[in-house]
Amino acid sequence: MVYLTRVEHFNAAHRLFNPGWSKEQNEAVFGKCANENWHGHNYELFVTIKGEPDPNTGFLFDVKRLSELIRDHVIEKVDHKNLNMDVDFLEGQMCSTENLAIGIWKQLQPHLPSAVQLHSIKLYETPRIYVEYFG
Amino acid sequence: MNVSNKVAVFRKEHFNAAHRIFNPAWDDKKNFEVFGKCSNPHYHGHNYELIVKVVGEPDPETGYVMDMKKLSVIVKEEVLERFDHKNLNLDTLEFRNLNPTAENIVKVIYELLRKRIDTKLDLLVRLHETERNFVEYPA
């Protein structure tokens, strides 16, 4: 078994805000992250796949193809966007890093060939905060 | 030989903010042509990394160029409290009528800090908008 990781990044605005709560409750739980005019981050995305290298190519999966999948199904949807307003796969969800990582997994998983397994989505929101999702 | 006694001290900080690169004198089409996705009307955002450089001769009594604790308080009061977790276009006076490009942000930060730091000390500000895009003022 070999693990292969592709690193990408994107920049986006977001806000942590539960529409079912009052302004005061949102501020009490989310603090400055609830700022109604948004704030933003440079997200660093680590997509790790696993499997056996193909004996004909030596590749687990063509990394160029992996980068295109990530670009088409994730980066183009989130880069320079407002996560709360512009991203179809986050609609109706809280825009936490946790939910974003799960959403990215769901965006990519159906597009990988059966011989390749998605192992993890690691997503940095800041250089000191990241989440990992293993499916 | 004349050896300089000057030493540079640095303080690193960071803040997260939303912005949009937008010239209100242009229509949306022209803004999009010039600024591309940076002009998204719903904003996008960055983790800004700020490096403040202060240069001077260490004080003979303290050994300090500048008390770093005082520098950190100045940066916190002047920069972080103004810009952290804010929308630069909507939530700040400084960028109400100024396009919040990295170039303009670094100049604004320099001016805010310059007022609070002893004039006998030199000041230089570097601002990273992403890991690979950064600006410096004065240049």
PDB file of all heavy atoms in Angstrom, chain A residues 29-45:
ATOM      1  N   VAL A  29     -21.138  32.229  20.886  1.00  0.00           N
ATOM      2  CA  VAL A  29     -20.517  30.941  20.520  1.00  0.00           C
ATOM      3  C   VAL A  29     -19.338  31.135  19.575  1.00  0.00           C
ATOM      4  O   VAL A  29     -18.285  30.530  19.762  1.00  0.00           O
ATOM      5  CB  VAL A  29     -21.567  29.995  19.881  1.00  0.00           C
ATOM      6  CG1 VAL A  29     -20.907  28.707  19.382  1.00  0.00           C
ATOM      7  CG2 VAL A  29     -22.664  29.661  20.888  1.00  0.00           C
ATOM      8  N   PHE A  30     -19.501  31.978  18.565  1.00  0.00           N
ATOM      9  CA  PHE A  30     -18.493  32.063  17.503  1.00  0.00           C
ATOM     10  C   PHE A  30     -17.596  33.297  17.597  1.00  0.00           C
ATOM     11  O   PHE A  30     -16.638  33.414  16.829  1.00  0.00           O
ATOM     12  CB  PHE A  30     -19.176  32.041  16.121  1.00  0.00           C
ATOM     13  CG  PHE A  30     -19.952  30.781  15.860  1.00  0.00           C
ATOM     14  CD1 PHE A  30     -21.298  30.823  15.566  1.00  0.00           C
ATOM     15  CD2 PHE A  30     -19.308  29.545  15.899  1.00  0.00           C
ATOM     16  CE1 PHE A  30     -22.015  29.648  15.323  1.00  0.00           C
ATOM     17  CE2 PHE A  30     -20.021  28.373  15.648  1.00  0.00           C
ATOM     18  CZ  PHE A  30     -21.376  28.426  15.366  1.00  0.00           C
ATOM     19  N   GLY A  31     -17.911  34.231  18.504  1.00  0.00           N
ATOM     20  CA  GLY A  31     -17.062  35.410  18.690  1.00  0.00           C
ATOM     21  C   GLY A  31     -16.868  36.169  17.397  1.00  0.00           C
ATOM     22  O   GLY A  31     -17.802  36.321  16.608  1.00  0.00           O
ATOM     23  N   LYS A  32     -15.626  36.619  17.172  1.00  0.00           N
ATOM     24  CA  LYS A  32     -15.364  37.459  15.998  1.00  0.00           C
ATOM     25  C   LYS A  32     -15.520  36.688  14.687  1.00  0.00           C
ATOM     26  O   LYS A  32     -15.636  37.308  13.625  1.00  0.00           O
ATOM     27  CB  LYS A  32     -13.983  38.103  16.098  1.00  0.00           C
ATOM     28  CG  LYS A  32     -12.841  37.116  16.190  1.00  0.00           C
ATOM     29  CD  LYS A  32     -11.525  37.825  16.509  1.00  0.00           C
ATOM     30  CE  LYS A  32     -10.403  36.803  16.636  1.00  0.00           C
ATOM     31  NZ  LYS A  32      -9.112  37.404  16.941  1.00  0.00           N
ATOM     32  N   CYS A  33     -15.546  35.345  14.749  1.00  0.00           N
ATOM     33  CA  CYS A  33     -15.752  34.547  13.529  1.00  0.00           C
ATOM     34  C   CYS A  33     -17.159  34.716  12.968  1.00  0.00           C
ATOM     35  O   CYS A  33     -17.441  34.300  11.852  1.00  0.00           O
ATOM     36  CB  CYS A  33     -15.508  33.063  13.806  1.00  0.00           C
ATOM     37  SG  CYS A  33     -13.825  32.726  14.291  1.00  0.00           S
ATOM     38  N   ALA A  34     -18.074  35.316  13.773  1.00  0.00           N
ATOM     39  CA  ALA A  34     -19.448  35.521  13.312  1.00  0.00           C
ATOM     40  C   ALA A  34     -19.623  36.877  12.627  1.00  0.00           C
ATOM     41  O   ALA A  34     -20.734  37.182  12.173  1.00  0.00           O
ATOM     42  CB  ALA A  34     -20.420  35.405  14.490  1.00  0.00           C
ATOM     43  N   ASN A  35     -18.576  37.676  12.532  1.00  0.00           N
ATOM     44  CA  ASN A  35     -18.662  39.025  11.913  1.00  0.00           C
ATOM     45  C   ASN A  35     -19.550  39.009  10.673  1.00  0.00           C
ATOM     46  O   ASN A  35     -19.293  38.275   9.729  1.00  0.00           O
ATOM     47  CB  ASN A  35     -17.261  39.529  11.558  1.00  0.00           C
ATOM     48  CG  ASN A  35     -17.289  40.865  10.802  1.00  0.00           C
ATOM     49  OD1 ASN A  35     -18.281  41.598  10.866  1.00  0.00           O
ATOM     50  ND2 ASN A  35     -16.223  41.158  10.085  1.00  0.00           N
ATOM     51  N   GLU A  36     -20.604  39.838  10.693  1.00  0.00           N
ATOM     52  CA  GLU A  36     -21.616  39.736   9.638  1.00  0.00           C
ATOM     53  C   GLU A  36     -21.094  40.109   8.250  1.00  0.00           C
ATOM     54  O   GLU A  36     -21.695  39.743   7.245  1.00  0.00           O
ATOM     55  CB  GLU A  36     -22.859  40.539   9.987  1.00  0.00           C
ATOM     56  CG  GLU A  36     -22.614  42.019  10.153  1.00  0.00           C
ATOM     57  CD  GLU A  36     -23.875  42.746  10.636  1.00  0.00           C
ATOM     58  OE1 GLU A  36     -24.967  42.208  10.423  1.00  0.00           O
ATOM     59  OE2 GLU A  36     -23.733  43.832  11.216  1.00  0.00           O
ATOM     60  N   ASN A  37     -19.989  40.828   8.190  1.00  0.00           N
ATOM     61  CA  ASN A  37     -19.412  41.168   6.882  1.00  0.00           C
ATOM     62  C   ASN A  37     -18.297  40.214   6.454  1.00  0.00           C
ATOM     63  O   ASN A  37     -17.511  40.555   5.577  1.00  0.00           O
ATOM     64  CB  ASN A  37     -18.893  42.603   6.893  1.00  0.00           C
ATOM     65  CG  ASN A  37     -20.029  43.609   6.885  1.00  0.00           C
ATOM     66  OD1 ASN A  37     -21.095  43.331   6.368  1.00  0.00           O
ATOM     67  ND2 ASN A  37     -19.794  44.758   7.468  1.00  0.00           N
ATOM     68  N   TRP A  38     -18.221  39.037   7.094  1.00  0.00           N
ATOM     69  CA  TRP A  38     -17.270  38.007   6.690  1.00  0.00           C
ATOM     70  C   TRP A  38     -15.838  38.307   7.133  1.00  0.00           C
ATOM     71  O   TRP A  38     -15.486  39.405   7.479  1.00  0.00           O
ATOM     72  CB  TRP A  38     -17.274  37.778   5.162  1.00  0.00           C
ATOM     73  CG  TRP A  38     -18.597  37.986   4.511  1.00  0.00           C
ATOM     74  CD1 TRP A  38     -18.985  39.073   3.791  1.00  0.00           C
ATOM     75  CD2 TRP A  38     -19.737  37.109   4.532  1.00  0.00           C
ATOM     76  NE1 TRP A  38     -20.275  38.921   3.370  1.00  0.00           N
ATOM     77  CE2 TRP A  38     -20.765  37.740   3.797  1.00  0.00           C
ATOM     78  CE3 TRP A  38     -19.970  35.856   5.107  1.00  0.00           C
ATOM     79  CZ2 TRP A  38     -22.016  37.161   3.621  1.00  0.00           C
ATOM     80  CZ3 TRP A  38     -21.216  35.285   4.930  1.00  0.00           C
ATOM     81  CH2 TRP A  38     -22.213  35.938   4.194  1.00  0.00           C
ATOM     82  N   HIS A  39     -15.024  37.270   7.103  1.00  0.00           N
ATOM     83  CA  HIS A  39     -13.571  37.404   7.171  1.00  0.00           C
ATOM     84  C   HIS A  39     -13.043  36.303   6.248  1.00  0.00           C
ATOM     85  O   HIS A  39     -13.831  35.687   5.532  1.00  0.00           O
ATOM     86  CB  HIS A  39     -13.057  37.288   8.614  1.00  0.00           C
ATOM     87  CG  HIS A  39     -13.303  35.951   9.223  1.00  0.00           C
ATOM     88  ND1 HIS A  39     -14.532  35.586   9.723  1.00  0.00           N
ATOM     89  CD2 HIS A  39     -12.502  34.876   9.369  1.00  0.00           C
ATOM     90  CE1 HIS A  39     -14.457  34.343  10.171  1.00  0.00           C
ATOM     91  NE2 HIS A  39     -13.243  33.879   9.968  1.00  0.00           N
ATOM     92  N   GLY A  40     -11.751  36.055   6.240  1.00  0.00           N
ATOM     93  CA  GLY A  40     -11.290  35.078   5.255  1.00  0.00           C
ATOM     94  C   GLY A  40      -9.996  34.397   5.616  1.00  0.00           C
ATOM     95  O   GLY A  40      -9.344  34.750   6.609  1.00  0.00           O
ATOM     96  N   HIS A  41      -9.664  33.401   4.813  1.00  0.00           N
ATOM     97  CA  HIS A  41      -8.475  32.585   5.084  1.00  0.00           C
ATOM     98  C   HIS A  41      -7.773  32.169   3.798  1.00  0.00           C
ATOM     99  O   HIS A  41      -8.388  32.112   2.735  1.00  0.00           O
ATOM    100  CB  HIS A  41      -8.868  31.298   5.823  1.00  0.00           C
ATOM    101  CG  HIS A  41      -9.483  31.530   7.160  1.00  0.00           C
ATOM    102  ND1 HIS A  41      -8.756  31.960   8.249  1.00  0.00           N
ATOM    103  CD2 HIS A  41     -10.757  31.404   7.596  1.00  0.00           C
ATOM    104  CE1 HIS A  41      -9.557  32.082   9.288  1.00  0.00           C
ATOM    105  NE2 HIS A  41     -10.786  31.752   8.927  1.00  0.00           N
ATOM    106  N   ASN A  42      -6.487  31.806   3.963  1.00  0.00           N
ATOM    107  CA  ASN A  42      -5.774  31.039   2.945  1.00  0.00           C
ATOM    108  C   ASN A  42      -5.868  29.581   3.387  1.00  0.00           C
ATOM    109  O   ASN A  42      -5.235  29.203   4.368  1.00  0.00           O
ATOM    110  CB  ASN A  42      -4.302  31.420   2.867  1.00  0.00           C
ATOM    111  CG  ASN A  42      -4.080  32.895   2.599  1.00  0.00           C
ATOM    112  OD1 ASN A  42      -4.929  33.562   2.035  1.00  0.00           O
ATOM    113  ND2 ASN A  42      -2.930  33.393   3.013  1.00  0.00           N
ATOM    114  N   TYR A  43      -6.640  28.800   2.706  1.00  0.00           N
ATOM    115  CA  TYR A  43      -6.770  27.386   3.051  1.00  0.00           C
ATOM    116  C   TYR A  43      -5.706  26.564   2.333  1.00  0.00           C
ATOM    117  O   TYR A  43      -5.453  26.780   1.142  1.00  0.00           O
ATOM    118  CB  TYR A  43      -8.152  26.868   2.644  1.00  0.00           C
ATOM    119  CG  TYR A  43      -9.280  27.412   3.470  1.00  0.00           C
ATOM    120  CD1 TYR A  43      -9.950  28.568   3.090  1.00  0.00           C
ATOM    121  CD2 TYR A  43      -9.693  26.770   4.632  1.00  0.00           C
ATOM    122  CE1 TYR A  43     -10.998  29.085   3.851  1.00  0.00           C
ATOM    123  CE2 TYR A  43     -10.746  27.271   5.394  1.00  0.00           C
ATOM    124  CZ  TYR A  43     -11.388  28.425   4.993  1.00  0.00           C
ATOM    125  OH  TYR A  43     -12.428  28.922   5.741  1.00  0.00           O
ATOM    126  N   GLU A  44      -5.099  25.622   3.050  1.00  0.00           N
ATOM    127  CA  GLU A  44      -4.159  24.682   2.453  1.00  0.00           C
ATOM    128  C   GLU A  44      -4.805  23.306   2.499  1.00  0.00           C
ATOM    129  O   GLU A  44      -5.224  22.855   3.569  1.00  0.00           O
ATOM    130  CB  GLU A  44      -2.852  24.629   3.251  1.00  0.00           C
ATOM    131  CG  GLU A  44      -1.957  25.849   3.086  1.00  0.00           C
ATOM    132  CD  GLU A  44      -1.164  25.839   1.786  1.00  0.00           C
ATOM    133  OE1 GLU A  44      -0.841  24.737   1.305  1.00  0.00           O
ATOM    134  OE2 GLU A  44      -0.888  26.921   1.266  1.00  0.00           O
ATOM    135  N   LEU A  45      -4.889  22.673   1.349  1.00  0.00           N
ATOM    136  CA  LEU A  45      -5.616  21.402   1.240  1.00  0.00           C
ATOM    137  C   LEU A  45      -4.650  20.272   0.890  1.00  0.00           C
ATOM    138  O   LEU A  45      -3.894  20.374  -0.077  1.00  0.00           O
ATOM    139  CB  LEU A  45      -6.673  21.539   0.136  1.00  0.00           C
ATOM    140  CG  LEU A  45      -7.417  20.282  -0.287  1.00  0.00           C
ATOM    141  CD1 LEU A  45      -8.232  19.721   0.865  1.00  0.00           C
ATOM    142  CD2 LEU A  45      -8.309  20.582  -1.489  1.00  0.00           C
TER     143      LEU A  45
END
